[in-house]
Amino acid sequence: MAYGDYKGPDKPDKGKENGSCNRTRCQCAPARWYNHGSYSWYCDDCRAQIEFDPVNHRYWKLWHEPKCGHPQFETREMMDARAALRKATEV
Ligand SMILES: [Zn+2]
């Protein structure tokens, strides 16, 4: 199912890790991408559509990434790897 196809009620696991995509008109599973902008989880397709939207992508690169040092969307593995790296470089 693509974004826009879903017209049902909100699923109980909407926007949760490995649950249903946070986009109301999608809600596909598994939601394995965490959006640092909305603090919710998204499916592969919606993550790509949102993260690589030219305007949104430019905005994140310009205003957020220099401060936070990571992309707008990350998987659990990407966040864990960053945390491990941070820990390893701590004195
Ligand atoms: Zn989605």
PDB file of all heavy atoms in Angstrom, residues 47-71:
ATOM      1  N   ARG A  47       9.489   7.364   4.685  1.00  0.00           N
ATOM      2  CA  ARG A  47      10.771   7.925   5.106  1.00  0.00           C
ATOM      3  C   ARG A  47      11.488   8.533   3.891  1.00  0.00           C
ATOM      4  O   ARG A  47      11.978   9.661   3.951  1.00  0.00           O
ATOM      5  CB  ARG A  47      11.641   6.835   5.727  1.00  0.00           C
ATOM      6  CG  ARG A  47      13.065   7.257   5.967  1.00  0.00           C
ATOM      7  CD  ARG A  47      13.977   6.722   4.898  1.00  0.00           C
ATOM      8  NE  ARG A  47      15.331   7.238   5.050  1.00  0.00           N
ATOM      9  CZ  ARG A  47      16.366   6.801   4.367  1.00  0.00           C
ATOM     10  NH1 ARG A  47      16.213   5.816   3.511  1.00  0.00           N
ATOM     11  NH2 ARG A  47      17.540   7.332   4.522  1.00  0.00           N
ATOM     12  N   ALA A  48      11.544   7.778   2.780  1.00  0.00           N
ATOM     13  CA  ALA A  48      12.232   8.268   1.587  1.00  0.00           C
ATOM     14  C   ALA A  48      11.526   9.508   1.032  1.00  0.00           C
ATOM     15  O   ALA A  48      12.175  10.495   0.682  1.00  0.00           O
ATOM     16  CB  ALA A  48      12.297   7.172   0.532  1.00  0.00           C
ATOM     17  N   GLN A  49      10.202   9.472   0.980  1.00  0.00           N
ATOM     18  CA  GLN A  49       9.455  10.620   0.449  1.00  0.00           C
ATOM     19  C   GLN A  49       9.684  11.870   1.279  1.00  0.00           C
ATOM     20  O   GLN A  49       9.872  12.960   0.741  1.00  0.00           O
ATOM     21  CB  GLN A  49       7.952  10.315   0.441  1.00  0.00           C
ATOM     22  CG  GLN A  49       7.500   9.454  -0.725  1.00  0.00           C
ATOM     23  CD  GLN A  49       6.026   9.093  -0.623  1.00  0.00           C
ATOM     24  OE1 GLN A  49       5.270   9.747   0.085  1.00  0.00           O
ATOM     25  NE2 GLN A  49       5.622   8.061  -1.327  1.00  0.00           N
ATOM     26  N   ILE A  50       9.670  11.721   2.586  1.00  0.00           N
ATOM     27  CA  ILE A  50       9.790  12.895   3.459  1.00  0.00           C
ATOM     28  C   ILE A  50      11.245  13.364   3.531  1.00  0.00           C
ATOM     29  O   ILE A  50      11.534  14.534   3.310  1.00  0.00           O
ATOM     30  CB  ILE A  50       9.267  12.581   4.884  1.00  0.00           C
ATOM     31  CG1 ILE A  50       7.779  12.224   4.842  1.00  0.00           C
ATOM     32  CG2 ILE A  50       9.499  13.780   5.804  1.00  0.00           C
ATOM     33  CD1 ILE A  50       7.247  11.610   6.138  1.00  0.00           C
ATOM     34  N   GLU A  51      12.163  12.411   3.809  1.00  0.00           N
ATOM     35  CA  GLU A  51      13.554  12.817   4.003  1.00  0.00           C
ATOM     36  C   GLU A  51      14.141  13.443   2.748  1.00  0.00           C
ATOM     37  O   GLU A  51      14.893  14.403   2.827  1.00  0.00           O
ATOM     38  CB  GLU A  51      14.425  11.632   4.445  1.00  0.00           C
ATOM     39  CG  GLU A  51      15.874  12.053   4.677  1.00  0.00           C
ATOM     40  CD  GLU A  51      16.708  11.023   5.416  1.00  0.00           C
ATOM     41  OE1 GLU A  51      16.290   9.862   5.518  1.00  0.00           O
ATOM     42  OE2 GLU A  51      17.787  11.401   5.902  1.00  0.00           O
ATOM     43  N   PHE A  52      13.810  12.900   1.572  1.00  0.00           N
ATOM     44  CA  PHE A  52      14.441  13.364   0.343  1.00  0.00           C
ATOM     45  C   PHE A  52      13.583  14.349  -0.442  1.00  0.00           C
ATOM     46  O   PHE A  52      13.884  14.673  -1.577  1.00  0.00           O
ATOM     47  CB  PHE A  52      14.883  12.161  -0.502  1.00  0.00           C
ATOM     48  CG  PHE A  52      15.833  11.271   0.269  1.00  0.00           C
ATOM     49  CD1 PHE A  52      15.530   9.941   0.516  1.00  0.00           C
ATOM     50  CD2 PHE A  52      17.020  11.790   0.795  1.00  0.00           C
ATOM     51  CE1 PHE A  52      16.386   9.135   1.260  1.00  0.00           C
ATOM     52  CE2 PHE A  52      17.875  10.988   1.539  1.00  0.00           C
ATOM     53  CZ  PHE A  52      17.569   9.662   1.771  1.00  0.00           C
ATOM     54  N   ASP A  53      12.528  14.845   0.163  1.00  0.00           N
ATOM     55  CA  ASP A  53      11.817  15.976  -0.414  1.00  0.00           C
ATOM     56  C   ASP A  53      12.833  17.124  -0.472  1.00  0.00           C
ATOM     57  O   ASP A  53      13.467  17.435   0.540  1.00  0.00           O
ATOM     58  CB  ASP A  53      10.629  16.362   0.484  1.00  0.00           C
ATOM     59  CG  ASP A  53      10.050  17.696   0.073  1.00  0.00           C
ATOM     60  OD1 ASP A  53       9.292  17.706  -0.906  1.00  0.00           O
ATOM     61  OD2 ASP A  53      10.371  18.725   0.705  1.00  0.00           O
ATOM     62  N   PRO A  54      13.046  17.730  -1.657  1.00  0.00           N
ATOM     63  CA  PRO A  54      14.140  18.704  -1.808  1.00  0.00           C
ATOM     64  C   PRO A  54      14.097  19.836  -0.783  1.00  0.00           C
ATOM     65  O   PRO A  54      15.137  20.202  -0.227  1.00  0.00           O
ATOM     66  CB  PRO A  54      13.939  19.246  -3.227  1.00  0.00           C
ATOM     67  CG  PRO A  54      13.157  18.193  -3.935  1.00  0.00           C
ATOM     68  CD  PRO A  54      12.304  17.531  -2.898  1.00  0.00           C
ATOM     69  N   VAL A  55      12.942  20.386  -0.535  1.00  0.00           N
ATOM     70  CA  VAL A  55      12.836  21.512   0.395  1.00  0.00           C
ATOM     71  C   VAL A  55      13.138  21.059   1.818  1.00  0.00           C
ATOM     72  O   VAL A  55      13.924  21.671   2.547  1.00  0.00           O
ATOM     73  CB  VAL A  55      11.430  22.162   0.320  1.00  0.00           C
ATOM     74  CG1 VAL A  55      11.291  23.257   1.378  1.00  0.00           C
ATOM     75  CG2 VAL A  55      11.190  22.719  -1.070  1.00  0.00           C
ATOM     76  N   ASN A  56      12.512  19.969   2.209  1.00  0.00           N
ATOM     77  CA  ASN A  56      12.718  19.443   3.560  1.00  0.00           C
ATOM     78  C   ASN A  56      14.169  19.019   3.771  1.00  0.00           C
ATOM     79  O   ASN A  56      14.760  19.289   4.819  1.00  0.00           O
ATOM     80  CB  ASN A  56      11.777  18.253   3.794  1.00  0.00           C
ATOM     81  CG  ASN A  56      11.922  17.704   5.199  1.00  0.00           C
ATOM     82  OD1 ASN A  56      11.755  18.420   6.178  1.00  0.00           O
ATOM     83  ND2 ASN A  56      12.258  16.434   5.305  1.00  0.00           N
ATOM     84  N   HIS A  57      14.763  18.351   2.769  1.00  0.00           N
ATOM     85  CA  HIS A  57      16.128  17.856   2.872  1.00  0.00           C
ATOM     86  C   HIS A  57      17.109  19.017   3.063  1.00  0.00           C
ATOM     87  O   HIS A  57      17.990  18.973   3.913  1.00  0.00           O
ATOM     88  CB  HIS A  57      16.479  17.053   1.615  1.00  0.00           C
ATOM     89  CG  HIS A  57      17.713  16.220   1.766  1.00  0.00           C
ATOM     90  ND1 HIS A  57      17.818  15.199   2.680  1.00  0.00           N
ATOM     91  CD2 HIS A  57      18.908  16.260   1.127  1.00  0.00           C
ATOM     92  CE1 HIS A  57      19.015  14.641   2.584  1.00  0.00           C
ATOM     93  NE2 HIS A  57      19.699  15.274   1.663  1.00  0.00           N
ATOM     94  N   ARG A  58      16.918  20.073   2.284  1.00  0.00           N
ATOM     95  CA  ARG A  58      17.773  21.250   2.356  1.00  0.00           C
ATOM     96  C   ARG A  58      17.653  21.902   3.747  1.00  0.00           C
ATOM     97  O   ARG A  58      18.647  22.296   4.345  1.00  0.00           O
ATOM     98  CB  ARG A  58      17.350  22.237   1.268  1.00  0.00           C
ATOM     99  CG  ARG A  58      18.246  23.427   1.118  1.00  0.00           C
ATOM    100  CD  ARG A  58      17.752  24.341   0.005  1.00  0.00           C
ATOM    101  NE  ARG A  58      17.875  25.729   0.413  1.00  0.00           N
ATOM    102  CZ  ARG A  58      19.038  26.391   0.429  1.00  0.00           C
ATOM    103  NH1 ARG A  58      20.133  25.791   0.042  1.00  0.00           N
ATOM    104  NH2 ARG A  58      19.083  27.654   0.818  1.00  0.00           N
ATOM    105  N   TYR A  59      16.439  21.985   4.223  1.00  0.00           N
ATOM    106  CA  TYR A  59      16.182  22.605   5.522  1.00  0.00           C
ATOM    107  C   TYR A  59      16.898  21.838   6.629  1.00  0.00           C
ATOM    108  O   TYR A  59      17.548  22.422   7.489  1.00  0.00           O
ATOM    109  CB  TYR A  59      14.672  22.642   5.768  1.00  0.00           C
ATOM    110  CG  TYR A  59      14.277  23.410   7.010  1.00  0.00           C
ATOM    111  CD1 TYR A  59      14.176  24.802   6.991  1.00  0.00           C
ATOM    112  CD2 TYR A  59      14.005  22.746   8.202  1.00  0.00           C
ATOM    113  CE1 TYR A  59      13.817  25.513   8.129  1.00  0.00           C
ATOM    114  CE2 TYR A  59      13.641  23.442   9.340  1.00  0.00           C
ATOM    115  CZ  TYR A  59      13.551  24.823   9.301  1.00  0.00           C
ATOM    116  OH  TYR A  59      13.198  25.514  10.427  1.00  0.00           O
ATOM    117  N   TRP A  60      16.784  20.517   6.618  1.00  0.00           N
ATOM    118  CA  TRP A  60      17.430  19.699   7.653  1.00  0.00           C
ATOM    119  C   TRP A  60      18.942  19.851   7.602  1.00  0.00           C
ATOM    120  O   TRP A  60      19.617  20.022   8.611  1.00  0.00           O
ATOM    121  CB  TRP A  60      17.025  18.225   7.518  1.00  0.00           C
ATOM    122  CG  TRP A  60      17.571  17.421   8.661  1.00  0.00           C
ATOM    123  CD1 TRP A  60      18.769  16.785   8.719  1.00  0.00           C
ATOM    124  CD2 TRP A  60      16.943  17.207   9.930  1.00  0.00           C
ATOM    125  NE1 TRP A  60      18.924  16.187   9.951  1.00  0.00           N
ATOM    126  CE2 TRP A  60      17.823  16.434  10.702  1.00  0.00           C
ATOM    127  CE3 TRP A  60      15.708  17.597  10.471  1.00  0.00           C
ATOM    128  CZ2 TRP A  60      17.515  16.040  12.002  1.00  0.00           C
ATOM    129  CZ3 TRP A  60      15.410  17.202  11.764  1.00  0.00           C
ATOM    130  CH2 TRP A  60      16.309  16.439  12.512  1.00  0.00           C
ATOM    131  N   LYS A  61      19.501  19.779   6.372  1.00  0.00           N
ATOM    132  CA  LYS A  61      20.960  19.876   6.186  1.00  0.00           C
ATOM    133  C   LYS A  61      21.482  21.219   6.683  1.00  0.00           C
ATOM    134  O   LYS A  61      22.559  21.309   7.260  1.00  0.00           O
ATOM    135  CB  LYS A  61      21.310  19.719   4.699  1.00  0.00           C
ATOM    136  CG  LYS A  61      21.209  18.286   4.215  1.00  0.00           C
ATOM    137  CD  LYS A  61      22.574  17.615   4.276  1.00  0.00           C
ATOM    138  CE  LYS A  61      22.479  16.154   3.906  1.00  0.00           C
ATOM    139  NZ  LYS A  61      23.325  15.307   4.723  1.00  0.00           N
ATOM    140  N   LEU A  62      20.705  22.242   6.451  1.00  0.00           N
ATOM    141  CA  LEU A  62      21.126  23.599   6.766  1.00  0.00           C
ATOM    142  C   LEU A  62      20.968  23.934   8.249  1.00  0.00           C
ATOM    143  O   LEU A  62      21.845  24.515   8.862  1.00  0.00           O
ATOM    144  CB  LEU A  62      20.283  24.563   5.921  1.00  0.00           C
ATOM    145  CG  LEU A  62      20.816  25.973   5.671  1.00  0.00           C
ATOM    146  CD1 LEU A  62      22.155  25.909   4.955  1.00  0.00           C
ATOM    147  CD2 LEU A  62      19.800  26.742   4.817  1.00  0.00           C
ATOM    148  N   TRP A  63      19.852  23.556   8.843  1.00  0.00           N
ATOM    149  CA  TRP A  63      19.509  24.025  10.177  1.00  0.00           C
ATOM    150  C   TRP A  63      19.651  22.996  11.286  1.00  0.00           C
ATOM    151  O   TRP A  63      19.832  23.344  12.440  1.00  0.00           O
ATOM    152  CB  TRP A  63      18.084  24.580  10.201  1.00  0.00           C
ATOM    153  CG  TRP A  63      17.971  25.768   9.318  1.00  0.00           C
ATOM    154  CD1 TRP A  63      17.357  25.821   8.082  1.00  0.00           C
ATOM    155  CD2 TRP A  63      18.518  27.075   9.537  1.00  0.00           C
ATOM    156  NE1 TRP A  63      17.496  27.074   7.555  1.00  0.00           N
ATOM    157  CE2 TRP A  63      18.187  27.866   8.419  1.00  0.00           C
ATOM    158  CE3 TRP A  63      19.253  27.639  10.578  1.00  0.00           C
ATOM    159  CZ2 TRP A  63      18.573  29.191   8.314  1.00  0.00           C
ATOM    160  CZ3 TRP A  63      19.631  28.975  10.474  1.00  0.00           C
ATOM    161  CH2 TRP A  63      19.292  29.742   9.359  1.00  0.00           C
ATOM    162  N   HIS A  64      19.533  21.726  10.961  1.00  0.00           N
ATOM    163  CA  HIS A  64      19.559  20.722  12.022  1.00  0.00           C
ATOM    164  C   HIS A  64      20.836  19.902  12.056  1.00  0.00           C
ATOM    165  O   HIS A  64      21.441  19.732  13.105  1.00  0.00           O
ATOM    166  CB  HIS A  64      18.347  19.780  11.901  1.00  0.00           C
ATOM    167  CG  HIS A  64      17.060  20.485  12.155  1.00  0.00           C
ATOM    168  ND1 HIS A  64      16.648  20.852  13.407  1.00  0.00           N
ATOM    169  CD2 HIS A  64      16.088  20.909  11.309  1.00  0.00           C
ATOM    170  CE1 HIS A  64      15.485  21.473  13.333  1.00  0.00           C
ATOM    171  NE2 HIS A  64      15.122  21.520  12.065  1.00  0.00           N
ATOM    172  N   GLU A  65      21.253  19.402  10.881  1.00  0.00           N
ATOM    173  CA  GLU A  65      22.391  18.478  10.866  1.00  0.00           C
ATOM    174  C   GLU A  65      23.682  19.091  11.441  1.00  0.00           C
ATOM    175  O   GLU A  65      24.405  18.391  12.151  1.00  0.00           O
ATOM    176  CB  GLU A  65      22.612  17.896   9.464  1.00  0.00           C
ATOM    177  CG  GLU A  65      23.446  16.632   9.518  1.00  0.00           C
ATOM    178  CD  GLU A  65      23.261  15.725   8.317  1.00  0.00           C
ATOM    179  OE1 GLU A  65      22.105  15.571   7.870  1.00  0.00           O
ATOM    180  OE2 GLU A  65      24.268  15.193   7.842  1.00  0.00           O
ATOM    181  N   PRO A  66      23.984  20.361  11.185  1.00  0.00           N
ATOM    182  CA  PRO A  66      25.209  20.922  11.781  1.00  0.00           C
ATOM    183  C   PRO A  66      25.191  20.869  13.307  1.00  0.00           C
ATOM    184  O   PRO A  66      26.232  20.717  13.939  1.00  0.00           O
ATOM    185  CB  PRO A  66      25.207  22.373  11.287  1.00  0.00           C
ATOM    186  CG  PRO A  66      24.383  22.360  10.049  1.00  0.00           C
ATOM    187  CD  PRO A  66      23.320  21.319  10.297  1.00  0.00           C
ATOM    188  N   LYS A  67      24.013  20.981  13.895  1.00  0.00           N
ATOM    189  CA  LYS A  67      23.901  20.960  15.360  1.00  0.00           C
ATOM    190  C   LYS A  67      23.797  19.543  15.916  1.00  0.00           C
ATOM    191  O   LYS A  67      24.464  19.178  16.859  1.00  0.00           O
ATOM    192  CB  LYS A  67      22.673  21.772  15.805  1.00  0.00           C
ATOM    193  CG  LYS A  67      22.920  23.269  15.808  1.00  0.00           C
ATOM    194  CD  LYS A  67      21.687  24.035  16.263  1.00  0.00           C
ATOM    195  CE  LYS A  67      20.720  24.191  15.118  1.00  0.00           C
ATOM    196  NZ  LYS A  67      19.470  24.831  15.465  1.00  0.00           N
ATOM    197  N   CYS A  68      22.927  18.735  15.304  1.00  0.00           N
ATOM    198  CA  CYS A  68      22.673  17.407  15.873  1.00  0.00           C
ATOM    199  C   CYS A  68      23.618  16.336  15.310  1.00  0.00           C
ATOM    200  O   CYS A  68      23.833  15.319  15.949  1.00  0.00           O
ATOM    201  CB  CYS A  68      21.219  16.997  15.664  1.00  0.00           C
ATOM    202  SG  CYS A  68      20.766  16.759  13.948  1.00  0.00           S
ATOM    203  N   GLY A  69      24.169  16.552  14.113  1.00  0.00           N
ATOM    204  CA  GLY A  69      25.153  15.639  13.548  1.00  0.00           C
ATOM    205  C   GLY A  69      24.618  14.322  13.022  1.00  0.00           C
ATOM    206  O   GLY A  69      25.359  13.355  12.896  1.00  0.00           O
ATOM    207  N   HIS A  70      23.344  14.263  12.716  1.00  0.00           N
ATOM    208  CA  HIS A  70      22.788  13.039  12.128  1.00  0.00           C
ATOM    209  C   HIS A  70      21.654  13.396  11.176  1.00  0.00           C
ATOM    210  O   HIS A  70      21.091  14.479  11.271  1.00  0.00           O
ATOM    211  CB  HIS A  70      22.292  12.083  13.215  1.00  0.00           C
ATOM    212  CG  HIS A  70      21.266  12.688  14.121  1.00  0.00           C
ATOM    213  ND1 HIS A  70      19.980  12.942  13.719  1.00  0.00           N
ATOM    214  CD2 HIS A  70      21.355  13.118  15.401  1.00  0.00           C
ATOM    215  CE1 HIS A  70      19.315  13.475  14.733  1.00  0.00           C
ATOM    216  NE2 HIS A  70      20.127  13.606  15.762  1.00  0.00           N
ATOM    217  N   PRO A  71      21.306  12.445  10.261  1.00  0.00           N
ATOM    218  CA  PRO A  71      20.209  12.713   9.337  1.00  0.00           C
ATOM    219  C   PRO A  71      18.852  12.767  10.047  1.00  0.00           C
ATOM    220  O   PRO A  71      18.738  12.365  11.212  1.00  0.00           O
ATOM    221  CB  PRO A  71      20.273  11.548   8.344  1.00  0.00           C
ATOM    222  CG  PRO A  71      21.100  10.502   8.974  1.00  0.00           C
ATOM    223  CD  PRO A  71      21.945  11.149  10.026  1.00  0.00           C
TER     224      PRO A  71
END
